[in-house]
Coordinates of all heavy atoms in Angstrom, one line a residue:
M1 N -31.3 3.9 31.8 CA -31.4 2.8 30.9 C -32.2 3.4 29.7 O -33.3 4.0 29.9 CB -32.1 1.6 31.5 CG -32.5 0.6 30.5 SD -33.0 -1.0 31.1 CE -34.2 -0.7 32.3
R2 N -31.7 3.1 28.6 CA -32.4 3.6 27.3 C -33.4 2.6 26.9 O -33.3 1.4 27.2 CB -31.3 3.8 26.3 CG -31.6 3.7 24.9 CD -30.3 4.0 24.1 NE -30.2 2.8 23.2 CZ -29.2 2.1 23.1 NH1 -28.1 2.4 23.7 NH2 -29.2 1.0 22.3
Y3 N -34.4 3.0 26.2 CA -35.5 2.1 25.7 C -34.9 1.0 24.9 O -34.1 1.3 24.0 CB -36.5 2.9 24.9 CG -37.6 2.1 24.4 CD1 -38.7 1.6 25.2 CD2 -37.6 1.7 23.1 CE1 -39.7 0.8 24.7 CE2 -38.6 0.9 22.6 CZ -39.7 0.4 23.4 OH -40.7 -0.4 22.9
G4 N -35.3 -0.2 25.2 CA -34.8 -1.4 24.4 C -33.6 -2.0 24.8 O -33.1 -3.0 24.2
T5 N -33.0 -1.5 25.9 CA -31.8 -2.2 26.5 C -32.1 -2.8 27.8 O -33.0 -2.4 28.5 CB -30.6 -1.2 26.6 OG1 -31.0 -0.2 27.5 CG2 -30.3 -0.6 25.3
F6 N -31.3 -3.8 28.2 CA -31.5 -4.5 29.5 C -30.2 -4.4 30.3 O -29.1 -4.4 29.7 CB -31.8 -5.9 29.2 CG -33.1 -6.1 28.5 CD1 -33.1 -6.3 27.1 CD2 -34.3 -6.1 29.1 CE1 -34.3 -6.4 26.4 CE2 -35.5 -6.2 28.4 CZ -35.5 -6.4 27.1
P7 N -30.3 -4.2 31.6 CA -29.1 -4.2 32.4 C -28.4 -5.6 32.3 O -29.0 -6.6 32.0 CB -29.6 -4.0 33.8 CG -31.1 -4.2 33.8 CD -31.5 -4.1 32.4
S8 N -27.1 -5.6 32.6 CA -26.3 -6.8 32.4 C -26.8 -8.0 33.3 O -26.5 -9.1 33.0 CB -24.8 -6.5 32.6 OG -24.6 -6.1 34.0
D9 N -27.4 -7.7 34.4 CA -27.9 -8.7 35.3 C -29.3 -9.1 35.1 O -29.9 -9.9 35.8 CB -27.7 -8.3 36.8 CG -28.6 -7.1 37.2 OD1 -29.0 -6.4 36.2 OD2 -28.8 -6.9 38.4
S10 N -29.9 -8.7 34.0 CA -31.3 -9.0 33.7 C -31.4 -10.5 33.2 O -30.5 -11.0 32.8 CB -31.9 -8.1 32.6 OG -31.4 -8.5 31.3
P11 N -32.6 -11.0 33.4 CA -32.8 -12.4 33.0 C -32.5 -12.7 31.5 O -32.1 -13.7 31.1 CB -34.2 -12.7 33.3 CG -34.6 -11.7 34.3 CD -33.8 -10.5 34.0
I12 N -32.7 -11.6 30.7 CA -32.5 -11.8 29.2 C -31.0 -11.9 29.0 O -30.5 -12.7 28.2 CB -33.1 -10.6 28.4 CG1 -34.6 -10.7 28.5 CG2 -32.6 -10.6 27.0 CD1 -35.3 -9.6 27.8
E13 N -30.2 -11.1 29.7 CA -28.8 -11.1 29.5 C -28.1 -12.4 30.0 O -27.2 -12.9 29.5 CB -28.1 -9.9 30.1 CG -28.4 -8.6 29.4 CD -27.9 -8.5 28.0 OE1 -26.9 -9.0 27.7 OE2 -28.7 -8.0 27.2
T14 N -28.7 -12.9 31.1 CA -28.2 -14.2 31.7 C -28.7 -15.4 31.1 O -28.3 -16.5 31.4 CB -28.5 -14.2 33.2 OG1 -29.9 -14.1 33.4 CG2 -27.8 -13.0 33.9
G15 N -29.7 -15.3 30.2 CA -30.2 -16.5 29.4 C -31.4 -17.1 30.0 O -31.9 -18.1 29.4
S16 N -31.9 -16.7 31.1 CA -33.1 -17.3 31.7 C -34.3 -16.6 31.1 O -34.2 -15.6 30.4 CB -33.1 -17.3 33.2 OG -33.2 -15.9 33.6
A17 N -35.5 -17.2 31.4 CA -36.7 -16.6 30.8 C -36.9 -15.2 31.4 O -36.9 -15.0 32.6 CB -37.9 -17.5 31.1
A18 N -37.2 -14.2 30.5 CA -37.3 -12.8 30.9 C -38.7 -12.6 31.4 O -38.9 -11.8 32.4 CB -37.0 -11.9 29.7
Y19 N -39.7 -13.1 30.8 CA -41.0 -12.9 31.2 C -41.7 -14.2 31.5 O -41.4 -15.2 30.9 CB -41.8 -12.2 30.1 CG -41.1 -10.9 29.6 CD1 -40.4 -10.9 28.5 CD2 -41.2 -9.8 30.4 CE1 -39.8 -9.8 28.0 CE2 -40.6 -8.6 29.9 CZ -39.9 -8.6 28.8 OH -39.3 -7.5 28.4
P20 N -42.6 -14.3 32.5 CA -43.3 -15.5 32.7 C -44.1 -15.9 31.5 O -44.8 -15.1 30.9 CB -44.2 -15.2 33.9 CG -44.2 -13.8 34.1 CD -43.0 -13.2 33.4
Q21 N -43.9 -17.1 31.1 CA -44.6 -17.6 29.9 C -46.0 -18.2 30.3 O -46.0 -19.0 31.2 CB -43.8 -18.7 29.2 CG -42.5 -18.2 28.7 CD -42.6 -17.1 27.6 OE1 -43.4 -17.3 26.7 NE2 -41.9 -16.0 27.7
P22 N -47.0 -17.9 29.6 CA -48.3 -18.6 29.8 C -48.1 -20.0 29.4 O -47.5 -20.3 28.4 CB -49.3 -17.9 28.9 CG -48.5 -17.2 27.9 CD -47.2 -16.9 28.5
G23 N -48.5 -20.9 30.2 CA -48.3 -22.3 29.9 C -49.2 -23.2 30.7 O -50.2 -22.7 31.3
G24 N -48.9 -24.4 30.6 CA -49.7 -25.4 31.4 C -50.9 -25.9 30.6 O -51.1 -25.6 29.4
R25 N -51.7 -26.5 31.4 CA -52.9 -27.2 30.8 C -53.9 -26.2 30.2 O -54.4 -26.4 29.1 CB -53.6 -28.0 31.9 CG -54.8 -28.7 31.3 CD -55.4 -29.5 32.4 NE -54.6 -30.7 32.5 CZ -54.8 -31.6 33.4 NH1 -55.7 -31.5 34.3 NH2 -54.0 -32.7 33.5
A26 N -54.1 -25.0 30.8 CA -55.1 -24.1 30.3 C -54.6 -23.5 29.0 O -55.5 -23.3 28.1 CB -55.3 -22.9 31.3
D27 N -53.4 -23.2 28.8 CA -52.9 -22.7 27.5 C -53.0 -23.7 26.4 O -53.4 -23.4 25.3 CB -51.4 -22.3 27.6 CG -50.8 -21.7 26.4 OD1 -51.4 -20.8 25.8 OD2 -49.8 -22.3 25.9
L28 N -52.7 -25.0 26.7 CA -52.8 -26.0 25.7 C -54.3 -26.3 25.3 O -54.6 -26.5 24.1 CB -52.2 -27.3 26.2 CG -50.6 -27.2 26.4 CD1 -50.1 -28.5 27.0 CD2 -49.9 -26.8 25.2
Q29 N -55.2 -26.2 26.3 CA -56.6 -26.4 26.0 C -57.1 -25.2 25.2 O -57.9 -25.4 24.3 CB -57.4 -26.4 27.3 CG -57.2 -27.7 28.1 CD -57.9 -27.7 29.5 OE1 -58.3 -26.6 29.9 NE2 -58.0 -28.8 30.1
L30 N -56.6 -24.0 25.4 CA -57.0 -22.9 24.6 C -56.6 -23.1 23.1 O -57.3 -22.7 22.2 CB -56.4 -21.6 25.2 CG -56.8 -20.3 24.6 CD1 -58.3 -20.1 24.7 CD2 -56.1 -19.1 25.2
H31 N -55.4 -23.6 22.9 CA -55.0 -23.8 21.5 C -55.9 -24.8 20.8 O -56.3 -24.6 19.7 CB -53.5 -24.4 21.5 CG -52.5 -23.3 21.6 ND1 -52.0 -22.7 20.6 CD2 -51.9 -22.8 22.7 CE1 -51.1 -21.8 21.0 NE2 -51.0 -21.8 22.3
V32 N -56.3 -25.9 21.5 CA -57.2 -26.9 21.0 C -58.6 -26.2 20.7 O -59.1 -26.4 19.6 CB -57.4 -28.1 21.9 CG1 -58.5 -29.0 21.4 CG2 -56.1 -28.9 22.0
L33 N -59.1 -25.5 21.6 CA -60.4 -24.9 21.4 C -60.4 -23.8 20.3 O -61.4 -23.8 19.5 CB -60.9 -24.2 22.8 CG -61.2 -25.2 23.9 CD1 -61.5 -24.4 25.2 CD2 -62.4 -26.0 23.5
V34 N -59.4 -23.0 20.2 CA -59.4 -22.0 19.2 C -59.3 -22.6 17.8 O -60.0 -22.2 16.9 CB -58.3 -21.0 19.5 CG1 -58.0 -20.0 18.3 CG2 -58.6 -20.1 20.7
T35 N -58.4 -23.6 17.7 CA -58.2 -24.1 16.3 C -59.4 -25.0 15.9 O -59.8 -25.1 14.8 CB -56.9 -25.0 16.2 OG1 -56.9 -25.9 17.3 CG2 -55.7 -24.1 16.2
T36 N -60.1 -25.6 16.9 CA -61.3 -26.3 16.6 C -62.4 -25.3 16.1 O -63.1 -25.6 15.1 CB -61.9 -27.1 17.9 OG1 -60.9 -28.0 18.3 CG2 -63.2 -27.7 17.6
A37 N -62.5 -24.2 16.8 CA -63.5 -23.2 16.4 C -63.2 -22.6 15.1 O -64.1 -22.4 14.2 CB -63.6 -22.1 17.5
L38 N -61.9 -22.4 14.8 CA -61.5 -21.8 13.5 C -61.8 -22.8 12.4 O -62.3 -22.4 11.3 CB -60.0 -21.5 13.5 CG -59.6 -20.2 14.3 CD1 -58.1 -20.2 14.3 CD2 -60.2 -19.0 13.6
T39 N -61.6 -24.1 12.6 CA -61.8 -25.1 11.6 C -63.3 -25.2 11.3 O -63.8 -25.2 10.2 CB -61.2 -26.4 12.0 OG1 -59.8 -26.2 12.2 CG2 -61.4 -27.4 10.9
V40 N -64.1 -25.4 12.4 CA -65.6 -25.5 12.2 C -66.2 -24.3 11.6 O -67.0 -24.3 10.6 CB -66.3 -25.9 13.5 CG1 -67.8 -25.8 13.4 CG2 -65.8 -27.2 14.0
G41 N -65.8 -23.1 12.1 CA -66.3 -21.9 11.5 C -65.9 -21.6 10.1 O -66.7 -21.2 9.3
G42 N -64.6 -21.9 9.8 CA -64.1 -21.8 8.4 C -64.8 -22.7 7.5 O -65.2 -22.4 6.3
Y43 N -65.1 -24.0 7.9 CA -65.8 -24.9 7.1 C -67.2 -24.5 6.8 O -67.6 -24.4 5.6 CB -65.8 -26.3 7.8 CG -66.7 -27.3 7.0 CD1 -66.2 -27.9 5.8 CD2 -68.0 -27.5 7.3 CE1 -67.0 -28.7 5.1 CE2 -68.8 -28.4 6.6 CZ -68.3 -29.0 5.5 OH -69.1 -29.8 4.7
Y44 N -68.0 -24.1 7.8 CA -69.4 -23.7 7.6 C -69.4 -22.4 6.9 O -70.4 -22.1 6.1 CB -70.2 -23.7 8.8 CG -70.5 -25.1 9.2 CD1 -69.9 -25.8 10.2 CD2 -71.5 -25.8 8.5 CE1 -70.2 -27.1 10.5 CE2 -71.8 -27.2 8.8 CZ -71.1 -27.8 9.8 OH -71.4 -29.1 10.1
G45 N -68.5 -21.5 7.1 CA -68.5 -20.2 6.4 C -68.2 -20.4 4.9 O -68.8 -19.7 4.1
S46 N -67.3 -21.3 4.6 CA -67.0 -21.5 3.1 C -68.0 -22.4 2.5 O -68.4 -22.2 1.3 CB -65.6 -22.0 3.0 OG -65.5 -23.3 3.6
A47 N -68.5 -23.5 3.2 CA -69.5 -24.4 2.6 C -70.9 -23.8 2.4 O -71.5 -23.8 1.4 CB -69.5 -25.7 3.4
E48 N -71.4 -23.2 3.5 CA -72.7 -22.7 3.5 C -72.8 -21.3 3.1 O -73.7 -20.9 2.4 CB -73.3 -22.8 4.9 CG -73.4 -24.2 5.5 CD -74.2 -25.2 4.8 OE1 -75.3 -24.7 4.2 OE2 -73.9 -26.4 4.7
G49 N -71.8 -20.5 3.5 CA -71.8 -19.0 3.2 C -71.4 -18.8 1.7 O -72.1 -18.0 1.0
I50 N -70.3 -19.4 1.3 CA -69.8 -19.1 0.0 C -70.4 -20.1 -1.0 O -70.5 -19.8 -2.2 CB -68.3 -19.1 0.0 CG1 -67.8 -18.0 0.9 CG2 -67.7 -18.9 -1.4 CD1 -66.3 -18.0 1.1
G51 N -70.6 -21.4 -0.6 CA -71.1 -22.4 -1.5 C -70.0 -23.3 -2.0 O -70.3 -23.9 -3.1
W52 N -68.9 -23.3 -1.4 CA -67.8 -24.2 -1.9 C -68.2 -25.6 -1.7 O -68.9 -26.0 -0.8 CB -66.5 -23.9 -1.2 CG -65.8 -22.6 -1.6 CD1 -66.3 -21.7 -2.5 CD2 -64.7 -22.0 -1.0 NE1 -65.4 -20.6 -2.6 CE2 -64.4 -20.8 -1.7 CE3 -63.8 -22.5 0.0 CZ2 -63.3 -20.0 -1.4 CZ3 -62.7 -21.7 0.3 CH2 -62.5 -20.5 -0.4
P53 N -67.6 -26.6 -2.5 CA -67.8 -28.0 -2.3 C -67.2 -28.4 -0.9 O -66.4 -27.8 -0.4 CB -67.1 -28.7 -3.4 CG -66.7 -27.6 -4.4 CD -66.8 -26.3 -3.7
H54 N -67.7 -29.6 -0.5 CA -67.3 -30.1 0.8 C -65.8 -30.2 1.0 O -65.2 -29.7 2.0 CB -68.0 -31.5 1.1 CG -67.4 -32.2 2.2 ND1 -67.6 -31.9 3.5 CD2 -66.7 -33.4 2.3 CE1 -67.0 -32.7 4.3 NE2 -66.4 -33.6 3.6
R55 N -65.1 -30.9 0.1 CA -63.7 -31.1 0.2 C -62.9 -29.8 0.2 O -61.9 -29.7 0.9 CB -63.2 -32.1 -0.9 CG -63.6 -33.5 -0.7 CD -62.9 -34.4 -1.7 NE -63.4 -35.7 -1.5 CZ -62.8 -36.8 -2.0 NH1 -61.8 -36.6 -2.9 NH2 -63.3 -38.0 -1.8
T56 N -63.3 -28.9 -0.7 CA -62.6 -27.6 -0.8 C -62.8 -26.9 0.5 O -61.8 -26.3 1.0 CB -63.2 -26.8 -2.0 OG1 -63.1 -27.6 -3.2 CG2 -62.5 -25.5 -2.1
S57 N -64.0 -26.9 1.1 CA -64.2 -26.1 2.3 C -63.5 -26.8 3.5 O -62.9 -26.0 4.3 CB -65.7 -26.2 2.6 OG -66.5 -25.5 1.6
L58 N -63.4 -28.1 3.5 CA -62.7 -28.7 4.6 C -61.2 -28.5 4.5 O -60.6 -28.2 5.5 CB -63.0 -30.2 4.6 CG -62.6 -31.0 5.8 CD1 -63.3 -30.5 7.1 CD2 -62.9 -32.5 5.6
G59 N -60.7 -28.6 3.3 CA -59.2 -28.3 3.1 C -58.9 -26.9 3.5 O -57.9 -26.6 4.1
A60 N -59.7 -26.0 3.0 CA -59.4 -24.5 3.3 C -59.5 -24.2 4.8 O -58.7 -23.5 5.3 CB -60.4 -23.7 2.5
A61 N -60.5 -24.8 5.4 CA -60.7 -24.5 6.8 C -59.6 -25.1 7.7 O -59.0 -24.4 8.6 CB -62.1 -25.1 7.3
A62 N -59.2 -26.4 7.4 CA -58.1 -27.0 8.1 C -56.8 -26.3 7.8 O -56.0 -26.0 8.8 CB -58.0 -28.5 7.8
G63 N -56.5 -26.0 6.6 CA -55.3 -25.3 6.2 C -55.2 -23.9 6.8 O -54.1 -23.5 7.3
G64 N -56.3 -23.2 6.8 CA -56.3 -21.9 7.4 C -56.1 -21.9 8.9 O -55.4 -21.1 9.4
S65 N -56.7 -22.9 9.5 CA -56.6 -23.0 11.0 C -55.1 -23.3 11.4 O -54.6 -22.7 12.3 CB -57.5 -24.1 11.5 OG -57.4 -24.2 12.9
L66 N -54.5 -24.2 10.7 CA -53.1 -24.6 10.9 C -52.2 -23.4 10.6 O -51.2 -23.2 11.3 CB -52.7 -25.8 10.1 CG -53.3 -27.1 10.7 CD1 -52.9 -28.3 9.7 CD2 -52.8 -27.4 12.1
A67 N -52.5 -22.7 9.5 CA -51.6 -21.6 9.1 C -51.7 -20.5 10.2 O -50.7 -19.9 10.6 CB -52.1 -21.0 7.8
L68 N -52.9 -20.2 10.7 CA -53.0 -19.2 11.8 C -52.3 -19.6 13.0 O -51.7 -18.8 13.7 CB -54.5 -18.9 12.0 CG -55.2 -18.1 10.9 CD1 -56.7 -18.0 11.2 CD2 -54.6 -16.7 10.8
G69 N -52.4 -20.9 13.4 CA -51.7 -21.4 14.5 C -50.2 -21.3 14.4 O -49.4 -20.9 15.3
L70 N -49.7 -21.6 13.2 CA -48.2 -21.5 12.9 C -47.8 -20.0 13.0 O -46.8 -19.7 13.5 CB -47.9 -22.1 11.5 CG -46.4 -21.9 11.1 CD1 -45.5 -22.7 12.1 CD2 -46.3 -22.5 9.7
L71 N -48.6 -19.1 12.4 CA -48.3 -17.7 12.4 C -48.2 -17.2 13.8 O -47.4 -16.3 14.2 CB -49.3 -16.9 11.6 CG -49.1 -17.0 10.1 CD1 -50.3 -16.3 9.4 CD2 -47.8 -16.4 9.6
K72 N -49.1 -17.6 14.7 CA -49.2 -17.2 16.1 C -47.9 -17.7 16.8 O -47.3 -16.9 17.6 CB -50.4 -17.8 16.8 CG -50.4 -17.7 18.3 CD -50.5 -16.2 18.7 CE -50.8 -16.1 20.2 NZ -49.7 -16.3 21.1
E73 N -47.4 -18.9 16.5 CA -46.2 -19.4 17.1 C -45.0 -18.6 16.6 O -44.1 -18.4 17.4 CB -46.1 -20.9 16.9 CG -47.0 -21.7 17.7 CD -47.0 -21.4 19.2 OE1 -45.9 -21.4 19.8 OE2 -48.1 -21.2 19.7
L74 N -45.0 -18.3 15.4 CA -43.9 -17.5 14.8 C -43.8 -16.1 15.4 O -42.8 -15.6 15.7 CB -43.9 -17.5 13.3 CG -43.7 -18.8 12.6 CD1 -43.9 -18.7 11.1 CD2 -42.3 -19.3 12.9
Y75 N -45.0 -15.6 15.6 CA -45.1 -14.3 16.3 C -44.6 -14.3 17.7 O -43.8 -13.5 18.1 CB -46.6 -13.8 16.2 CG -46.8 -12.5 17.1 CD1 -46.3 -11.3 16.6 CD2 -47.4 -12.6 18.3 CE1 -46.5 -10.1 17.4 CE2 -47.6 -11.5 19.1 CZ -47.1 -10.3 18.6 OH -47.3 -9.1 19.4
D76 N -45.0 -15.4 18.4 CA -44.5 -15.5 19.8 C -43.0 -15.7 19.8 O -42.3 -15.1 20.7 CB -45.2 -16.8 20.5 CG -46.6 -16.5 20.8 OD1 -47.1 -15.4 20.8 OD2 -47.3 -17.5 21.1
R77 N -42.5 -16.4 18.9 CA -41.0 -16.6 18.8 C -40.3 -15.3 18.6 O -39.1 -15.1 19.0 CB -40.7 -17.6 17.8 CG -39.2 -18.0 17.8 CD -38.9 -18.9 16.7 NE -38.6 -18.0 15.5 CZ -38.1 -18.5 14.4 NH1 -37.8 -19.7 14.2 NH2 -38.0 -17.7 13.4
S78 N -40.9 -14.3 17.9 CA -40.3 -13.1 17.6 C -40.1 -12.2 18.8 O -39.3 -11.2 18.7 CB -41.0 -12.4 16.5 OG -42.2 -11.8 17.0
K79 N -40.8 -12.4 19.8 CA -40.7 -11.6 21.0 C -39.5 -12.0 21.8 O -39.1 -13.2 21.8 CB -41.9 -11.8 21.9 CG -43.2 -11.3 21.3 CD -44.3 -11.5 22.3 CE -45.7 -11.2 21.8 NZ -46.7 -11.5 22.7
I80 N -38.9 -11.1 22.5 CA -37.6 -11.3 23.3 C -38.0 -12.3 24.4 O -38.9 -12.1 25.1 CB -37.1 -10.0 23.8 CG1 -36.6 -9.1 22.7 CG2 -36.0 -10.2 24.8 CD1 -36.2 -7.7 23.1
G81 N -37.2 -13.3 24.5 CA -37.3 -14.3 25.6 C -38.3 -15.4 25.3 O -38.5 -16.3 26.1
N82 N -38.9 -15.4 24.1 CA -39.9 -16.4 23.8 C -39.3 -17.4 22.8 O -38.4 -17.1 22.1 CB -41.2 -15.8 23.2 CG -42.1 -15.2 24.2 OD1 -41.8 -15.2 25.4 ND2 -43.1 -14.6 23.7
R83 N -39.9 -18.6 22.8 CA -39.5 -19.7 21.9 C -40.7 -20.2 21.1 O -41.8 -20.1 21.6 CB -38.8 -20.8 22.7 CG -37.6 -20.4 23.4 CD -37.0 -21.6 24.0 NE -35.9 -21.2 24.9 CZ -35.4 -21.9 25.9 NH1 -36.0 -23.0 26.2 NH2 -34.4 -21.4 26.6
F84 N -40.4 -20.9 20.0 CA -41.4 -21.6 19.3 C -41.8 -22.8 20.1 O -41.0 -23.5 20.6 CB -40.9 -22.0 17.9 CG -41.9 -22.7 17.1 CD1 -42.6 -22.0 16.2 CD2 -42.1 -24.1 17.1 CE1 -43.5 -22.6 15.3 CE2 -43.0 -24.7 16.3 CZ -43.7 -23.9 15.4
S85 N -43.1 -23.0 20.3 CA -43.6 -24.1 21.1 C -44.1 -25.3 20.3 O -45.2 -25.1 19.6 CB -44.7 -23.6 22.1 OG -45.2 -24.7 22.8
G86 N -43.4 -26.4 20.3 CA -43.9 -27.5 19.6 C -45.1 -28.1 20.2 O -46.0 -28.6 19.5
A87 N -45.2 -28.0 21.5 CA -46.4 -28.5 22.2 C -47.7 -27.7 21.8 O -48.7 -28.3 21.6 CB -46.3 -28.4 23.7
D88 N -47.5 -26.4 21.7 CA -48.6 -25.6 21.2 C -49.0 -25.9 19.8 O -50.2 -26.0 19.5 CB -48.3 -24.1 21.3 CG -48.3 -23.5 22.7 OD1 -48.6 -24.3 23.6 OD2 -47.8 -22.4 22.8
M89 N -48.0 -26.2 18.9 CA -48.4 -26.6 17.5 C -49.0 -27.9 17.5 O -50.0 -28.2 16.7 CB -47.1 -26.6 16.7 CG -46.8 -25.3 16.0 SD -48.2 -24.5 15.1 CE -48.6 -25.6 13.8
L90 N -48.6 -28.9 18.4 CA -49.3 -30.2 18.4 C -50.7 -30.0 18.8 O -51.6 -30.6 18.3 CB -48.5 -31.1 19.4 CG -49.2 -32.5 19.6 CD1 -49.2 -33.2 18.3 CD2 -48.4 -33.2 20.7
M91 N -51.0 -29.1 19.8 CA -52.4 -28.9 20.2 C -53.2 -28.2 19.1 O -54.4 -28.5 18.9 CB -52.4 -28.0 21.5 CG -51.9 -28.7 22.7 SD -52.8 -30.2 23.1 CE -51.5 -31.4 22.8
N92 N -52.5 -27.4 18.3 CA -53.2 -26.8 17.1 C -53.6 -27.9 16.1 O -54.7 -27.8 15.5 CB -52.3 -25.7 16.4 CG -52.0 -24.5 17.2 OD1 -52.8 -24.2 18.1 ND2 -50.9 -23.8 17.0
V93 N -52.7 -28.8 15.9 CA -53.0 -29.9 15.0 C -54.1 -30.8 15.5 O -55.1 -31.1 14.8 CB -51.7 -30.8 14.7 CG1 -52.1 -32.1 14.0 CG2 -50.7 -30.0 14.0
I94 N -54.1 -31.1 16.8 CA -55.2 -31.8 17.4 C -56.5 -31.1 17.3 O -57.6 -31.7 16.9 CB -54.9 -32.2 18.9 CG1 -53.7 -33.2 18.9 CG2 -56.1 -32.7 19.6 CD1 -53.1 -33.5 20.3
G95 N -56.5 -29.8 17.6 CA -57.7 -29.0 17.5 C -58.3 -28.9 16.1 O -59.5 -29.0 15.9
T96 N -57.4 -28.8 15.1 CA -57.8 -28.8 13.7 C -58.4 -30.2 13.3 O -59.5 -30.2 12.7 CB -56.6 -28.5 12.8 OG1 -56.1 -27.2 13.1 CG2 -57.0 -28.5 11.3
G97 N -57.8 -31.3 13.8 CA -58.4 -32.6 13.6 C -59.8 -32.7 14.2 O -60.7 -33.3 13.6
V98 N -59.9 -32.2 15.4 CA -61.2 -32.3 16.1 C -62.2 -31.5 15.3 O -63.4 -31.9 15.1 CB -61.1 -31.8 17.6 CG1 -62.5 -31.6 18.2 CG2 -60.3 -32.8 18.4
G99 N -61.9 -30.3 14.9 CA -62.8 -29.4 14.1 C -63.2 -30.1 12.8 O -64.4 -30.0 12.4
A100 N -62.2 -30.7 12.1 CA -62.6 -31.4 10.9 C -63.5 -32.5 11.1 O -64.4 -32.8 10.4 CB -61.3 -31.9 10.2
G101 N -63.3 -33.3 12.2 CA -64.2 -34.4 12.6 C -65.6 -33.9 12.9 O -66.6 -34.5 12.5
I102 N -65.7 -32.8 13.6 CA -67.0 -32.2 13.9 C -67.7 -31.8 12.6 O -68.9 -32.1 12.4 CB -66.9 -31.0 14.8 CG1 -66.5 -31.5 16.2 CG2 -68.2 -30.2 14.9 CD1 -66.1 -30.4 17.2
A103 N -66.9 -31.1 11.7 CA -67.5 -30.7 10.4 C -68.0 -31.8 9.6 O -69.1 -31.8 9.0 CB -66.5 -29.8 9.6
V104 N -67.2 -32.9 9.5 CA -67.6 -34.1 8.7 C -68.8 -34.8 9.4 O -69.7 -35.3 8.8 CB -66.4 -35.0 8.5 CG1 -66.9 -36.4 8.0 CG2 -65.4 -34.3 7.6
G105 N -68.7 -34.9 10.8 CA -69.7 -35.7 11.5 C -71.1 -35.0 11.5 O -72.1 -35.6 11.4
V106 N -71.1 -33.7 11.5 CA -72.4 -32.9 11.6 C -73.0 -32.8 10.2 O -74.2 -32.7 10.0 CB -72.2 -31.5 12.2 CG1 -73.4 -30.7 12.1 CG2 -71.8 -31.7 13.7
R107 N -72.1 -32.8 9.2 CA -72.5 -32.7 7.8 C -73.5 -33.8 7.5 O -74.5 -33.9 7.1 CB -71.3 -32.7 6.9 CG -71.7 -32.6 5.4 CD -70.4 -32.6 4.6 NE -70.8 -32.8 3.3 CZ -70.5 -33.9 2.6 NH1 -69.9 -34.9 3.1 NH2 -70.9 -34.1 1.3

């Protein structure tokens, strides 16, 4: 077998999942936690570190967090046997909202 090819009876050729996908509750929780941390960190980094105004910092932090989550899903989709996960993106949106709420509430 040459590098990059799969035998005809492989799961990829037959259409089933080739590799076990990380999933379940732990994966979804990780998406929420990471996007929450990115949003809070991005907000305080831009508001306190750079000195941007509140609304600018909040928008940049939330937008950056969602953009990174989307890029991660697009990267996952580019791998053989993977798909774009709407559930993961939903958890990214929820985590971004939680992070924005924390940033506004602590401010």
Side-chain angles (χ1 to χ4, degrees):
M1 173 169 47
R2 154 179 125 232
Y3 179 77
T5 62
F6 298 95
S8 61
D9 63 340
S10 77
I12 291 177
E13 293 296 323
T14 59
S16 64
Y19 305 102
Q21 298 295 315
R25 180 176 284 173
D27 180 56
L28 296 177
Q29 289 173 347
L30 187 60
H31 279 271
V32 172
L33 290 173
V34 168
T35 52
T36 298
L38 285 171
T39 304
V40 171
Y43 173 77
Y44 284 104
S46 60
E48 303 295 326
I50 299 173
W52 287 357
H54 168 70
R55 286 186 182 192
T56 304
S57 296
L58 192 58
S65 179
L66 287 175
L68 288 173
L70 178 62
L71 287 173
K72 170 67 168 77
E73 289 308 310
L74 293 174
Y75 171 75
D76 287 346
R77 188 185 82 169
S78 73
K79 294 181 185 176
I80 295 175
N82 283 356
R83 296 183 188 158
F84 184 91
S85 174
D88 286 353
M89 270 312 295
L90 177 62
M91 294 299 112
N92 291 339
V93 169
I94 290 171
T96 300
V98 169
I102 290 171
V104 169
V106 172
R107 179 179 167 249

